[in-house]
Amino acid sequence: MSTGKNLKGLIRPLLIVACMGASYGDADEFKAVGRCPEIRGTQTAPTSYLGRTNPLSPTAENRAAGARLYQDDARPTPCVTCHGVLGDGQGPAAAYLNPAPRNFRCRSTMLDIPDGQLYWVIEQGSGELHHPARQGAQHLGRPGRTQTVTAMRSYGDYLTEEEIWQLVLYIRSLANETD
Ligand code: HEC
């Protein structure tokens, strides 16, 4: 991965975390990096998204396109920075984040998350300081959480719909059969 650009993209999420200071006080249970099964406090997507299934065929080409975006090309920060090369949620930034990045290797957790939910979080972010017009009050209600912001930003302004579905295909391919 091209480290210079990636670090630049990281400044914003890390600044958000730093600015929240002591008030960024999520319960520690959300902080464990790479845990499986994961404790997941992520807001549920609107039903208009939840019902969607991946329109792309699971071809090697689509998965490879998802891999390129995940590992290197997605801007402003490629997914690998937080979710890790293997998708285990242990990227270089993970230790600084609360909640921790999702562990895509954790099959038992990932099986319960519908395609449309994955799509929604990639497009809209998960409680990011975000597009109010597009995400409404998403950051206000996060059950079980005392803080409102996560490092998972919205990529809707950077990725096409097809690219997001390619990422969903790739993420699904990372699940570890034994978890
Ligand atoms: C700066 C760190 C960071 C980067 C970069 C990042 N993520 Fe995340 N991601 C997170 C965190 C933190 C969470 C956990 C959010 C939560 O618990 O609600 C998360 C959660 C997710 C989820 C879980 C959705 C759910 O409902 O459980 C998906 C899918 C996801 N990220 C995909 C991506 C993809 C694809 C990219 C790259 C295009 C990406 N992430 C880049 C930090 C990051």
Side-chain angles (χ1 to χ4, degrees):
M1 69 189 197
S2 40
T3 316
K5 276 187 211 151
N6 294 351
L7 286 179
K8 208 171 146 203
L10 241 194
I11 289 172
R12 187 167 159 278
L14 288 183
L15 266 182
I16 291 173
V17 174
C19 291
M20 299 296 288
S23 69
Y24 197 86
D26 233 4
D28 278 353
E29 69 199 81
F30 292 113
K31 213 170 147 186
V33 165
R35 191 187 155 118
C36 186
E38 273 193 298
I39 299 178
R40 185 174 160 272
T42 309
Q43 185 115 350
T44 302
T47 41
S48 56
Y49 277 84
L50 274 184
R52 296 193 200 172
T53 49
N54 202 327
L56 302 181
S57 312
T59 59
E61 287 76 19
N62 279 327
R63 222 173 272 132
R68 280 193 299 276
L69 289 164
Y70 179 100
Q71 302 288 352
D72 200 21
D73 289 351
R75 292 291 172 259
T77 317
C79 326
V80 64
T81 313
C82 298
H83 292 281
V85 175
L86 303 174
D88 56 6
Q90 303 190 46
Y96 306 99
L97 306 179
N98 186 4
R102 183 99 320 110
N103 172 5
F104 302 131
R105 300 269 291 164
C106 186
R107 191 169 148 272
S108 51
T109 297
M110 291 302 290
L111 274 180
D112 288 338
I113 310 178
D115 277 3
Q117 168 77 23
L118 299 177
Y119 182 97
W120 180 65
V121 168
I122 299 169
E123 185 186 81
Q124 304 284 342
S126 178
E128 190 219 6
L129 293 178
H130 54 256
H131 307 263
R134 298 169 65 192
Q135 196 156 304
Q138 133 92 357
H139 69 298
L140 296 177
R142 296 177 60 73
R145 289 190 171 173
T146 53
Q147 49 78 276
T148 53
V149 180
T150 86
M152 182 60 206
R153 63 157 305 126
S154 54
Y155 283 85
D157 287 344
Y158 300 90
L159 301 171
T160 64
E161 214 175 301
E162 184 182 30
E163 286 173 327
I164 295 178
W165 284 123
Q166 287 169 336
L167 279 162
V168 171
L169 265 187
Y170 178 65
I171 285 171
R172 291 251 184 247
S173 76
L174 298 173
N176 186 340
E177 284 309 308
T178 58
D179 285 339

